[in-house]
Every structure is written in structure tokens, then in C-alpha cells.
Amino acid sequence: MRFAVGHTSERLLAKSWDGGAAPTIWEHTAAVMDAVEELFGPPQCPTRLGLGWLKFFKLADFAAFFRATLAAAALHDWGKANDGFQQAVRRKGEQNIRHEHLSGLMMALDDVCRWLAARPDIDWDIVLAAVISHHLHVTHETFAESPGGPA
């Protein structure tokens, strides 16, 4: 598997798209991060939904919840930046691993762990769990298996 990086001339797509231009990974990620703040509110001013989540999940610190949720939104689709996923969304091939599993594996790389450690105010275990499970296709038995197509 090759990782697609900035020198490629093709846009890194977030998903297949039948009409118009497909959104890029960056465009999709920015929209998801915006949705987090729109739905839950910023750390200093949670929305009614944000307060409801705190109550439902028995969380004490909205700011910690917000930081982890925003980090998960930022990292959830890293695993789409590889040739297998990009070929799959263009209907020219198949991915070898689910993108959310690859995103989680990338978070475990030594250099990435050191980079993430610069933010000790974020619970990276919670972020990792959110990233690898955001499509609800993960178990101990299926983690990093070939999916047969893009999610």
C-alpha cells in the first residue's frame, strides 16, 4: 500500500460521488469538524445537545469531551489517503484495509504518538476508539481485515 502525499496530481477523495466533484478528504474533514462545533457547541458554550450528551454519558468535563471529539473528527479519515482507497472510490480497484482501521493504525506510529503527546489535555485512547469504530465495523476478530470495498 502506498500513501498518497502532496506530490500527487490527483485530488485525495473522501468518497465516491456520482454528481459533480467529489469532496476531498480535507473538505470532508473540515465539514465534520465544523459539524462537531455546530452540534455540540464550543468548549465555553455547549449547546443543548452538548449538555444532553454530558448528562447521558455521565461526563463531568465538556471541554475534555469537545477536545476529544474534535480530535477524532480531525483524524477519522486519515486512512483514506492511500492508493487502495483512492482507487476504490474511483471504481478502479479495491482497498486492502478499512480506512478507519488504517487511521487508527497510523495513530499508533511512533512519530505520530510523539506528535499527539504534545496535547496531553486530550484522551488519545478515547480518540483512537472513536476513530476505529466510526463506521461500527470493528471487532477484535475483524480489525484490519480486507473489507472488499470502501466504506
Side-chain angles (χ1 to χ4, degrees):
M1 171 185 327
R2 284 182 315 130
F3 289 95
V5 291
H7 68 273
T8 183
S9 61
E10 289 188 342
R11 294 166 26 105
L12 295 176
L13 303 180
K15 52 186 75 189
S16 299
W17 202 262
D18 292 327
T24 66
I25 296 169
W26 165 247
E27 291 164 342
H28 170 69
T29 298
V32 172
M33 292 176 72
D34 288 346
V36 167
E37 188 163 354
E38 193 67 30
L39 289 169
F40 298 112
Q44 66 278 12
C45 187
T47 63
R48 195 171 116 214
L49 176 63
L51 294 172
W53 274 55
L54 282 183
K55 183 177 178 182
F56 181 81
F57 289 106
K58 297 179 172 62
L59 302 173
D61 185 350
F62 180 76
F65 162 77
F66 180 84
R67 287 188 303 269
T69 304
L70 194 63
L75 302 175
H76 82 285
D77 277 349
W78 271 13
K80 290 181 174 181
N82 69 79
D83 60 342
F85 185 87
Q86 293 302 307
Q87 289 172 7
V89 295
R90 289 173 170 85
R91 295 173 175 86
K92 296 178 181 176
E94 293 184 359
Q95 59 183 345
N96 295 320
I97 181 174
R98 291 191 63 85
H99 75 272
E100 66 272 27
H101 299 186
L102 183 55
S103 297
L105 290 169
M106 290 166 63
M107 287 179 66
L109 295 170
D110 289 340
D111 287 340
V112 174
C113 286
R114 282 190 290 279
W115 178 60
L116 298 176
R119 290 296 307 266
D121 60 326
I122 296 174
D123 188 329
W124 293 108
D125 290 335
I126 289 174
V127 174
L128 176 63
V131 166
I132 65 172
S133 66
H134 77 267
H135 285 293
L136 306 177
H137 291 288
V138 64
T139 66
H140 291 292
E141 294 80 25
T142 62
F143 182 70
E145 277 189 349
S146 179

